[in-house]
Structures are given as C-alpha cells and as structure tokens.
Amino acid sequence: MTSLDRIAPAFVDMAHSIVWASVTTVDRDGKPRSRILHPIWEWDGVDLVGWVATVPTPVKRAHLDANPEVAVSYWTTNQDTCSAECTAQWYTDDDTRKAVWDKFANGPEPVGYDPYIIPMWADGPTSEQFAALRLTPYRLRVMAGTVMTKGEGAPLTWHHEDAAGLRPPS
C-alpha cells in the first residue's frame, strides 16, 4: 500500500490527462450501471476530492440514495489506467453548484470546459438540471501502461481503512 501523499498526485495527473471516466453506481437490487462522466479532482496535500458536474437524473439519484458509493475508472490506449472507489454526495445548494461550475469553467486543460455548452445548463449553475456530485475516495489505484505491457514497476494502490462514515474496503 502506498501513502496518499504519493498516489494522489499521480492519480490526479493521470485522471486529468485521460479526462473521461466510466462511473458505476449500484441500484437497490445490487445491479451495476455505468455511465461516462468528467470528474475534476483536487489534491490539497491532505485530502483528495473529486467533483462531477452532472444532471441529477432520477436513476442517478435513486442509485446513490440506495448506495452512496461509486467506482470511477479511467483507461487510455497506451494502457494507462487509474481508478477510485468513492463515497458520493449530492450538492444542490446554489453556493456549491456555483463553485463547482467555476471549477470546470476555470479548470486546467484538458479537464476545464465551458459548462454552458451543455444545452440543458443554459440557465447556468442554478439550473434545476445541474447538480454537483462530490467524490471522496477510499481506495485508489494507478497503473502506468508500462507496468502491464513491459512489467516495469508495480501499480500504486492506497485505501483508507478508518475513514469516518465510509464503509471499509473489502
């Protein structure tokens, strides 16, 4: 296991270079559903937090109400992969939504983008179709493609065993 201060920067660098992630939720019956989302990650030297600007669909809401955990997986053609298992929390208050909107509007390339390009968000960050989803990782894995293709090195892994309010990783 690697300490968070070593893996978090590597995770953010790889995730932000890949940009798009498969994010999986689980419904009340234990069935998974994946979708492609665009998280932005923040590492302050102590905590790693992901934010997703998303439409709060009834399916996403029902899944996260039943099980507030997600799996986030990134992959690119050179076989670089990274993943985060996280607790997820909706934010629909105006202050948080505006702050998350600004994170994307002013974010670094290639993860930054103008959220107004999404037609259903034409009313801006206070639109009923816009919500912020906060991701708090309890497990991370980063594997450069050379680890798999050439056997060079090992994947970086981390999990938080005693995070308050989080289900311990199995």
Side-chain angles (χ1 to χ4, degrees), residues 18-80:
I18 298 171
V19 181
W20 295 96
S22 294
V23 179
T24 304
T25 57
V26 177
D27 69 14
R28 283 178 169 76
D29 297 325
K31 295 178 183 169
R33 180 170 300 180
S34 295
R35 72 236 343 123
I36 304 298
L37 295 175
H38 180 162
I40 194 166
W41 295 91
E42 298 176 316
W43 168 244
D44 65 7
V46 177
D47 294 312
L48 177 63
V49 174
W51 291 99
V52 178
T54 190
V55 177
T57 66
V59 169
K60 286 180 206 164
R61 284 193 174 281
H63 285 197
L64 293 174
D65 285 349
N67 186 350
E69 296 183 52
V70 299
V72 181
S73 180
Y74 295 87
W75 171 84
T76 190
T77 56
N78 69 357
Q79 307 310 323
D80 283 352

Side-chain angles (χ1 to χ4, degrees), residues 51-54 89-92 96-97 100-101 130-134:
W51 291 99
V52 178
T54 190
Q89 182 178 1
W90 287 109
Y91 284 83
T92 55
T96 303
R97 292 190 302 163
V100 169
W101 182 280
F130 181 81
L133 190 61
R134 179 188 166 122

Side-chain angles (χ1 to χ4, degrees), residues 54-141:
T54 190
V55 177
T57 66
V59 169
K60 286 180 206 164
R61 284 193 174 281
H63 285 197
L64 293 174
D65 285 349
N67 186 350
E69 296 183 52
V70 299
V72 181
S73 180
Y74 295 87
W75 171 84
T76 190
T77 56
N78 69 357
Q79 307 310 323
D80 283 352
T81 62
C82 62
S83 60
E85 295 172 11
C86 310
T87 57
Q89 182 178 1
W90 287 109
Y91 284 83
T92 55
D93 66 281
D94 288 350
D95 289 342
T96 303
R97 292 190 302 163
K98 288 175 184 175
V100 169
W101 182 280
D102 289 343
K103 289 177 193 305
F104 284 96
N106 300 306
E109 289 288 332
V111 292
Y113 70 94
D114 179 2
Y116 280 108
I117 66 170
I118 309 296
M120 59 186 59
W121 296 345
D123 292 336
T126 57
S127 164
E128 287 186 19
Q129 293 298 309
F130 181 81
L133 190 61
R134 179 188 166 122
L135 307 177
T136 305
Y138 57 82
R139 178 178 284 154
L140 297 172
R141 184 172 189 265

